[in-house]
Amino acid sequence: MNHSFILKAEWDGGRNSEGRIEAGQLKTAISIPKEMGGAGIGTNPDEMLLGAAATCYLITLAAMMERGGLPVEKLTLESEGIVDVTNNIFTYVSIAHKPHIILKPDASEQDINHARRLAEKAEGSCMISRAIAGNVSLSTQPIIEKSLA
């Protein structure tokens, strides 16, 4: 069974103009970032690719930990995307996910190890990661700890 996602877009002019996109709940202005010589209005393809990869990873990891019965107290994520600019050619080089998993105080050493394995496994289970694999280097750097309270 296939699921279709539709995005509608408008663009007002040349390279350094701005536009708008709408896809389901996503409605935002778009342009090229100022750092890349654009208008810097709204979001841009680089942020959206990072956002897609990060949210897919985060949701996948949360679902895997829930199915694994891990005593998760809090889950946060910081992700970093690196874009190389050489000879005015922009190439998305890498995405590093840095999940911070805080387990409940009664978590065992086995739970900590399980959380670490799932943090690594979630990358390969996420559909966005699978879509960009081979083109963008993907890495995961989890921090896992038990809550003190």
Side-chain angles (χ1 to χ4, degrees), residues 109-122:
E109 201 57 39
Q110 183 178 358
D111 289 334
I112 293 171
N113 291 333
H114 190 199
R116 188 171 314 286
R117 286 191 306 275
L118 291 179
E120 295 294 335
K121 186 177 180 183

PDB file of all heavy atoms in Angstrom, residues 109-122:
ATOM      1  N   GLU A 109      21.364  -1.672  34.003  1.00  0.00           N
ATOM      2  CA  GLU A 109      22.493  -1.566  33.060  1.00  0.00           C
ATOM      3  C   GLU A 109      22.081  -2.182  31.721  1.00  0.00           C
ATOM      4  O   GLU A 109      22.471  -1.702  30.670  1.00  0.00           O
ATOM      5  CB  GLU A 109      23.715  -2.279  33.648  1.00  0.00           C
ATOM      6  CG  GLU A 109      25.027  -1.842  33.053  1.00  0.00           C
ATOM      7  CD  GLU A 109      25.307  -0.345  33.176  1.00  0.00           C
ATOM      8  OE1 GLU A 109      25.005   0.276  34.208  1.00  0.00           O
ATOM      9  OE2 GLU A 109      25.845   0.219  32.194  1.00  0.00           O
ATOM     10  N   GLN A 110      21.268  -3.230  31.781  1.00  0.00           N
ATOM     11  CA  GLN A 110      20.749  -3.862  30.564  1.00  0.00           C
ATOM     12  C   GLN A 110      19.862  -2.871  29.790  1.00  0.00           C
ATOM     13  O   GLN A 110      19.928  -2.804  28.566  1.00  0.00           O
ATOM     14  CB  GLN A 110      19.958  -5.115  30.921  1.00  0.00           C
ATOM     15  CG  GLN A 110      19.455  -5.875  29.719  1.00  0.00           C
ATOM     16  CD  GLN A 110      18.705  -7.144  30.118  1.00  0.00           C
ATOM     17  OE1 GLN A 110      18.587  -7.484  31.282  1.00  0.00           O
ATOM     18  NE2 GLN A 110      18.185  -7.838  29.110  1.00  0.00           N
ATOM     19  N   ASP A 111      19.045  -2.085  30.492  1.00  0.00           N
ATOM     20  CA  ASP A 111      18.213  -1.062  29.847  1.00  0.00           C
ATOM     21  C   ASP A 111      19.081  -0.015  29.156  1.00  0.00           C
ATOM     22  O   ASP A 111      18.784   0.412  28.037  1.00  0.00           O
ATOM     23  CB  ASP A 111      17.312  -0.371  30.880  1.00  0.00           C
ATOM     24  CG  ASP A 111      16.193  -1.256  31.407  1.00  0.00           C
ATOM     25  OD1 ASP A 111      15.770  -2.198  30.694  1.00  0.00           O
ATOM     26  OD2 ASP A 111      15.753  -0.999  32.546  1.00  0.00           O
ATOM     27  N   ILE A 112      20.150   0.403  29.816  1.00  0.00           N
ATOM     28  CA  ILE A 112      21.058   1.400  29.233  1.00  0.00           C
ATOM     29  C   ILE A 112      21.675   0.860  27.947  1.00  0.00           C
ATOM     30  O   ILE A 112      21.718   1.552  26.923  1.00  0.00           O
ATOM     31  CB  ILE A 112      22.127   1.830  30.256  1.00  0.00           C
ATOM     32  CG1 ILE A 112      21.464   2.603  31.402  1.00  0.00           C
ATOM     33  CG2 ILE A 112      23.226   2.655  29.589  1.00  0.00           C
ATOM     34  CD1 ILE A 112      22.369   2.886  32.578  1.00  0.00           C
ATOM     35  N   ASN A 113      22.148  -0.378  27.989  1.00  0.00           N
ATOM     36  CA  ASN A 113      22.744  -1.000  26.796  1.00  0.00           C
ATOM     37  C   ASN A 113      21.707  -1.170  25.683  1.00  0.00           C
ATOM     38  O   ASN A 113      22.017  -0.965  24.515  1.00  0.00           O
ATOM     39  CB  ASN A 113      23.371  -2.347  27.159  1.00  0.00           C
ATOM     40  CG  ASN A 113      24.592  -2.183  28.028  1.00  0.00           C
ATOM     41  OD1 ASN A 113      25.273  -1.155  27.991  1.00  0.00           O
ATOM     42  ND2 ASN A 113      24.880  -3.187  28.839  1.00  0.00           N
ATOM     43  N   HIS A 114      20.493  -1.538  26.070  1.00  0.00           N
ATOM     44  CA  HIS A 114      19.411  -1.690  25.091  1.00  0.00           C
ATOM     45  C   HIS A 114      19.108  -0.346  24.429  1.00  0.00           C
ATOM     46  O   HIS A 114      18.934  -0.264  23.201  1.00  0.00           O
ATOM     47  CB  HIS A 114      18.179  -2.272  25.784  1.00  0.00           C
ATOM     48  CG  HIS A 114      17.101  -2.699  24.848  1.00  0.00           C
ATOM     49  ND1 HIS A 114      15.816  -2.882  25.251  1.00  0.00           N
ATOM     50  CD2 HIS A 114      17.093  -2.977  23.518  1.00  0.00           C
ATOM     51  CE1 HIS A 114      15.067  -3.246  24.222  1.00  0.00           C
ATOM     52  NE2 HIS A 114      15.828  -3.307  23.159  1.00  0.00           N
ATOM     53  N   ALA A 115      19.039   0.717  25.215  1.00  0.00           N
ATOM     54  CA  ALA A 115      18.783   2.057  24.679  1.00  0.00           C
ATOM     55  C   ALA A 115      19.884   2.463  23.693  1.00  0.00           C
ATOM     56  O   ALA A 115      19.600   3.035  22.637  1.00  0.00           O
ATOM     57  CB  ALA A 115      18.682   3.071  25.811  1.00  0.00           C
ATOM     58  N   ARG A 116      21.123   2.140  24.021  1.00  0.00           N
ATOM     59  CA  ARG A 116      22.241   2.472  23.125  1.00  0.00           C
ATOM     60  C   ARG A 116      22.109   1.720  21.795  1.00  0.00           C
ATOM     61  O   ARG A 116      22.287   2.288  20.722  1.00  0.00           O
ATOM     62  CB  ARG A 116      23.575   2.144  23.792  1.00  0.00           C
ATOM     63  CG  ARG A 116      24.789   2.631  23.007  1.00  0.00           C
ATOM     64  CD  ARG A 116      26.087   2.507  23.771  1.00  0.00           C
ATOM     65  NE  ARG A 116      26.048   2.971  25.139  1.00  0.00           N
ATOM     66  CZ  ARG A 116      26.024   4.252  25.528  1.00  0.00           C
ATOM     67  NH1 ARG A 116      26.018   5.203  24.605  1.00  0.00           N
ATOM     68  NH2 ARG A 116      26.005   4.572  26.799  1.00  0.00           N
ATOM     69  N   ARG A 117      21.776   0.435  21.865  1.00  0.00           N
ATOM     70  CA  ARG A 117      21.599  -0.349  20.634  1.00  0.00           C
ATOM     71  C   ARG A 117      20.462   0.218  19.782  1.00  0.00           C
ATOM     72  O   ARG A 117      20.587   0.322  18.563  1.00  0.00           O
ATOM     73  CB  ARG A 117      21.341  -1.823  20.960  1.00  0.00           C
ATOM     74  CG  ARG A 117      22.576  -2.580  21.431  1.00  0.00           C
ATOM     75  CD  ARG A 117      22.364  -4.080  21.492  1.00  0.00           C
ATOM     76  NE  ARG A 117      21.200  -4.496  22.281  1.00  0.00           N
ATOM     77  CZ  ARG A 117      21.196  -4.671  23.594  1.00  0.00           C
ATOM     78  NH1 ARG A 117      22.297  -4.463  24.284  1.00  0.00           N
ATOM     79  NH2 ARG A 117      20.088  -5.057  24.210  1.00  0.00           N
ATOM     80  N   LEU A 118      19.356   0.574  20.443  1.00  0.00           N
ATOM     81  CA  LEU A 118      18.222   1.121  19.695  1.00  0.00           C
ATOM     82  C   LEU A 118      18.544   2.487  19.093  1.00  0.00           C
ATOM     83  O   LEU A 118      18.097   2.795  17.982  1.00  0.00           O
ATOM     84  CB  LEU A 118      16.983   1.204  20.592  1.00  0.00           C
ATOM     85  CG  LEU A 118      16.376  -0.144  20.995  1.00  0.00           C
ATOM     86  CD1 LEU A 118      15.167   0.069  21.893  1.00  0.00           C
ATOM     87  CD2 LEU A 118      16.010  -0.982  19.777  1.00  0.00           C
ATOM     88  N   ALA A 119      19.317   3.303  19.796  1.00  0.00           N
ATOM     89  CA  ALA A 119      19.714   4.623  19.261  1.00  0.00           C
ATOM     90  C   ALA A 119      20.498   4.445  17.966  1.00  0.00           C
ATOM     91  O   ALA A 119      20.344   5.234  17.028  1.00  0.00           O
ATOM     92  CB  ALA A 119      20.533   5.379  20.299  1.00  0.00           C
ATOM     93  N   GLU A 120      21.331   3.409  17.911  1.00  0.00           N
ATOM     94  CA  GLU A 120      22.092   3.130  16.685  1.00  0.00           C
ATOM     95  C   GLU A 120      21.192   2.521  15.605  1.00  0.00           C
ATOM     96  O   GLU A 120      21.274   2.884  14.436  1.00  0.00           O
ATOM     97  CB  GLU A 120      23.252   2.178  17.003  1.00  0.00           C
ATOM     98  CG  GLU A 120      24.302   2.755  17.934  1.00  0.00           C
ATOM     99  CD  GLU A 120      25.086   3.908  17.354  1.00  0.00           C
ATOM    100  OE1 GLU A 120      25.198   4.011  16.107  1.00  0.00           O
ATOM    101  OE2 GLU A 120      25.583   4.735  18.136  1.00  0.00           O
ATOM    102  N   LYS A 121      20.326   1.602  16.007  1.00  0.00           N
ATOM    103  CA  LYS A 121      19.467   0.885  15.060  1.00  0.00           C
ATOM    104  C   LYS A 121      18.415   1.797  14.426  1.00  0.00           C
ATOM    105  O   LYS A 121      18.027   1.595  13.277  1.00  0.00           O
ATOM    106  CB  LYS A 121      18.791  -0.278  15.779  1.00  0.00           C
ATOM    107  CG  LYS A 121      18.000  -1.183  14.874  1.00  0.00           C
ATOM    108  CD  LYS A 121      17.427  -2.353  15.652  1.00  0.00           C
ATOM    109  CE  LYS A 121      16.626  -3.256  14.719  1.00  0.00           C
ATOM    110  NZ  LYS A 121      15.990  -4.349  15.450  1.00  0.00           N
ATOM    111  N   ALA A 122      17.942   2.790  15.159  1.00  0.00           N
ATOM    112  CA  ALA A 122      16.874   3.668  14.657  1.00  0.00           C
ATOM    113  C   ALA A 122      17.278   4.383  13.372  1.00  0.00           C
ATOM    114  O   ALA A 122      16.431   4.634  12.511  1.00  0.00           O
ATOM    115  CB  ALA A 122      16.476   4.681  15.732  1.00  0.00           C
TER     116      ALA A 122
END
